[in-house]
Amino acid sequence: MPNKSLRILFVSSEAAPYAKTGGLADVTGSLPAALKALGVDVRQVLPYYRSIREKGFPIQSLDEQVDAPVGAGTLKAWLFETTTDAGIPVYFVDRLDFFDRPQLYGEGSRDYGDNLERFSFFCHAARRLPEVIKWRPHLIHCHDWQTGLLPALHKGARGQGASSDRPKSVFTIHNIGYPGLFPQDRFGVTGLSRDDFFNSRGLEYYGWISLLKSGIVFSDAVTTVSPTYAREIQTPEYGMGMDGILRQRQARLYGILNGADYEVWDPGKDPHIAQTYDPDDMTGKRACKQALIQEMGLDSNRENRPLLAMISRFDSQKGLDLFLAIMDALLQMDVGVVVLGAGDGHVEWSIQEGFRRHPGRGAVYIGFHDALAHRIMAGADMLLVPSRYEPCGLTQIYALKYGTVPVVRGTGGLEDTVQSYAPATGEGNGFKFYPYDAQALFGAVREAVAVYYRSDAWGRLMTNGMGADFSWEVSAQRYLDVYASVLDPSAPRVSTP
Ligand code: ADP
Ligand code: GLC
């Protein structure tokens, strides 16, 4: 099918710039535009959260409602629409009692107790959307557990005789660590037949309902966000209990590296930073470092020392325990450290305490602050990403573009995007360690700090990183290949692992 006539509906629980808690939003906010550039008719649908309503986007009501079953009853969803700067139509599913809340998924460390209802409702409404907008997608592209019910709903519809015009589905796993688990006695909420769907070939996961498993099992193809993670999740170590079903789906499991949106993440035109810069003129980077040191309240003598940064959700995935274990040693090494993040309360407290022990050398901003993320990306010398696992990771990809050298654990997309610096040849774009262990992280940081003081070598490292191209073109084409193979199973199989 030529791309021009291909209609794809993206269904996700977040997308930049409307709603974002992490990298999922970056991907669902930028991949549609890359697909559109390849000629695809792509649209997307999101929940209408309070934060979207408050941001003042030009959003209009469709003056239409759809009925969405939730358990034994039916609830009404109101529909809204807007168009992105890239010209993508975006629809919002609204229901105040589900989405008019301070956060997307929960508050503090507690998920909202009715997330099964909220995201089942969203999936049912998204399924009905095409009738209302009179635009029938060939394929729906679902992302993570919040949308995992949708492929099963389509299979259910097929059982009820709607096979010929059912859209195909592709399900992308952004993070297998969030399986979307709910107690099995609430299965009725999903609207699926328990006899047909709550079993080991369906949504059942060790006695629980797993919406992520639903997406994996019932979609026509599964993708994840880097080739290495696609391999890792088929192993017990990284598969979080899903490795068996993923191995069963191996023939239709693809690892496609995320791209970066260089319209948003480019030091040459970033509106958030003190001074723009590019590989030919790096004076702006120095100004960004000075400005960041001032903004974060570090001693001005940090300007001549390496400035290390972390921008991260404080989640067990992200290796904060390793960071905490080396924090004192790190600050005694005479470097500056800035951290931006939020999440686990103990981690928040420990980082604040750690910096209090070394005044002027380190600072943390607890919270979500998009503009500050850009300023740190530009002002720091190194970005630490010591993840326990990392499906793709976008911060290290952005760091490369900003001439901020990544120091990462070699797992998932970190392994695929960072090449260790080789002093003999000057090749490589960062520093990597492998064992999940604080000493290994410390060793990699020490190595990076030593190279930092050799300005020729460091300059080469920065230039190597800034020259790398992780834009979406290549990966968007790979998604197109996956869509094509799903829509026409006789088409040659794509070669992504
Ligand atoms: P993940 O999706 O697992 O959180 P990624 O590296 O893929 O990890 O994406 C993280 C995204 O969220 C990046 O765009 C990063 O800049 C952003 N981010 C993470 N924490 C914060 C924060 N506290 N404030 C602003 N942006 C953040
Ligand atoms: C997830 C992963 C991260 C990935 C992002 C976007 O949140 O943790 O590694 O980059 O999704 O795919």
Side-chain angles (χ1 to χ4, degrees), residues 20-24 26 175 258 265 311-313 317-318 340-342 365 367-371 373 377 390-396 398:
K20 168 166 168 173
T21 67
L24 166 65
D26 293 24
N175 195 330
N258 284 336
W265 294 97
I311 302 171
S312 179
R313 290 181 294 113
Q317 167 190 349
K318 297 291 183 180
L340 166 63
Y365 180 100
F368 197 90
H369 192 325
D370 190 45
M377 214 51 102
E390 195 61 71
C392 178
L394 290 165
T395 57
Q396 83 282 6
Y398 303 151

Side-chain angles (χ1 to χ4, degrees), residues 1-12:
M1 183 182 312
N3 298 348
K4 282 229 164 356
S5 50
L6 182 58
R7 294 187 296 274
I8 308 278
L9 179 65
F10 264 58
V11 186
S12 63

Side-chain angles (χ1 to χ4, degrees), residues 16 19 78 105 188 303 433 445 485:
W78 280 261
Y105 311 126
E303 278 171 30
F433 65 99
V445 173
S485 73

Side-chain angles (χ1 to χ4, degrees), residues 60-251:
Q60 270 135 36
S61 170
L62 277 182
D63 287 326
E64 298 266 9
Q65 297 162 9
V66 289
D67 288 329
V70 176
T74 297
L75 294 176
K76 286 211 180 302
W78 280 261
L79 298 172
F80 288 77
E81 73 173 332
T82 192
T83 307
T84 68
D85 290 346
I88 315 272
V90 183
Y91 302 93
F92 299 96
V93 169
D94 186 31
R95 192 171 165 88
L96 290 176
D97 49 351
F98 282 153
F99 301 123
D100 185 24
R101 300 189 185 179
Q103 300 295 331
L104 273 53
Y105 311 126
E107 287 168 49
S109 51
R110 287 173 74 96
D111 286 347
Y112 291 128
D114 57 354
N115 275 347
L116 180 61
E117 283 81 357
R118 297 171 79 224
F119 291 103
S120 293
F121 172 79
F122 173 60
C123 286
H124 279 279
R127 186 167 156 238
R128 305 286 307 278
L129 175 74
E131 291 162 32
V132 175
I133 60 175
K134 302 195 173 35
W135 175 88
R136 185 182 296 179
H138 297 103
L139 188 145
I140 51 174
H141 188 159
C142 302
H143 300 264
D144 272 355
W145 71 264
Q146 295 88 342
T147 61
L149 190 61
L150 205 40
L153 294 178
H154 282 291
K155 288 278 151 109
R158 177 150 70 172
Q160 291 150 22
S163 64
S164 57
D165 56 359
R166 148 186 110 86
K168 300 281 187 181
S169 57
V170 168
F171 183 72
T172 296
I173 301 170
H174 293 264
N175 195 330
I176 212 161
Y178 295 87
L181 295 188
F182 300 94
Q184 58 161 296
D185 60 8
R186 300 183 50 213
F187 194 83
V189 171
T190 64
L192 291 170
S193 142
R194 185 178 172 113
D195 287 349
D196 293 341
F197 285 90
F198 192 70
N199 53 49
S200 60
R201 285 164 290 104
L203 277 66
E204 198 259 334
Y205 173 86
Y206 302 102
W208 293 72
I209 303 164
S210 165
L211 295 184
L212 185 85
K213 187 176 173 216
S214 172
I216 293 173
V217 172
F218 292 110
S219 56
D220 295 295
V222 179
T223 71
T224 189
V225 291
S226 69
T228 294
Y229 195 59
R231 286 189 294 276
E232 286 174 343
I233 55 178
Q234 295 179 59
T235 67
E237 189 187 351
Y238 287 94
M240 311 233 181
M242 303 278 180
D243 45 298
I245 49 159
L246 286 164
R247 285 194 300 274
Q248 280 170 23
R249 298 234 53 194
Q250 194 175 37

Side-chain angles (χ1 to χ4, degrees), residues 176-493:
I176 212 161
Y178 295 87
L181 295 188
F182 300 94
Q184 58 161 296
D185 60 8
R186 300 183 50 213
F187 194 83
V189 171
T190 64
L192 291 170
S193 142
R194 185 178 172 113
D195 287 349
D196 293 341
F197 285 90
F198 192 70
N199 53 49
S200 60
R201 285 164 290 104
L203 277 66
E204 198 259 334
Y205 173 86
Y206 302 102
W208 293 72
I209 303 164
S210 165
L211 295 184
L212 185 85
K213 187 176 173 216
S214 172
I216 293 173
V217 172
F218 292 110
S219 56
D220 295 295
V222 179
T223 71
T224 189
V225 291
S226 69
T228 294
Y229 195 59
R231 286 189 294 276
E232 286 174 343
I233 55 178
Q234 295 179 59
T235 67
E237 189 187 351
Y238 287 94
M240 311 233 181
M242 303 278 180
D243 45 298
I245 49 159
L246 286 164
R247 285 194 300 274
Q248 280 170 23
R249 298 234 53 194
Q250 194 175 37
R252 288 270 177 210
L253 170 62
Y254 307 98
I256 304 175
L257 194 68
N258 284 336
D261 184 348
Y262 290 134
E263 287 303 308
V264 178
W265 294 97
D266 177 356
K269 57 181 179 204
D270 190 329
H272 300 294
I273 65 180
Q275 192 177 321
T276 56
Y277 58 93
D278 58 43
D280 296 329
D281 181 1
M282 294 289 282
T283 45
K285 185 154 179 76
R286 182 111 210 133
C288 290
K289 182 172 177 178
Q290 281 167 357
L292 180 64
I293 284 172
Q294 204 173 19
E295 177 175 1
M296 298 298 284
L298 302 192
D299 289 344
S300 56
N301 67 7
R302 292 298 99 183
E303 278 171 30
N304 302 316
R305 314 283 197 284
L307 184 59
L308 283 54
M310 281 189 85
I311 302 171
S312 179
R313 290 181 294 113
F314 293 166
D315 180 282
S316 60
Q317 167 190 349
K318 297 291 183 180
L320 277 316
D321 49 338
L322 302 191
F323 175 74
L324 287 172
I326 67 162
M327 219 176 153
D328 283 314
L330 206 58
L331 291 157
Q332 278 155 11
M333 260 169 79
D334 202 13
V335 300
V337 183
V338 293
V339 178
L340 166 63
D344 183 310
H346 173 71
V347 173
E348 292 180 356
W349 181 85
S350 306
I351 293 181
Q352 283 168 318
E353 274 305 299
F355 285 141
R356 247 173 239 140
R357 290 193 292 273
H358 304 271
R361 292 196 171 189
V364 56
Y365 180 100
I366 304 283
F368 197 90
H369 192 325
D370 190 45
L372 181 57
H374 286 250
R375 292 198 285 272
I376 292 177
M377 214 51 102
D381 296 303
M382 297 168 205
L383 187 80
L384 308 189
V385 195
S387 305
R388 187 183 294 273
Y389 72 91
E390 195 61 71
C392 178
L394 290 165
T395 57
Q396 83 282 6
I397 294 179
Y398 303 151
L400 289 168
K401 184 74 176 172
Y402 282 73
T404 301
V405 175
V407 180
V408 308
R409 178 160 177 266
T411 182
L414 298 170
E415 172 71 350
D416 295 337
T417 52
V418 177
Q419 285 79 47
S420 297
Y421 174 63
T425 61
E427 281 165 16
N429 58 16
F431 297 86
K432 265 200 277 201
F433 65 99
Y434 288 91
Y436 189 77
D437 136 350
Q439 280 318 309
L441 167 61
F442 192 57
V445 173
R446 253 203 326 236
E447 197 187 333
V449 167
V451 178
Y452 172 87
Y453 286 110
R454 292 171 38 215
S455 54
D456 284 359
W458 195 255
R460 172 90 192 260
L461 254 173
M462 291 199 288
T463 319
N464 290 351
M466 294 177 87
D469 182 4
F470 290 100
S471 55
W472 268 111
E473 277 96 72
V474 175
S475 294
Q477 183 58 52
R478 297 212 143 198
Y479 277 106
L480 267 188
D481 294 342
V482 172
Y483 300 155
S485 73
V486 162
L487 291 165
D488 177 5
S490 64
R493 199 54 69 75

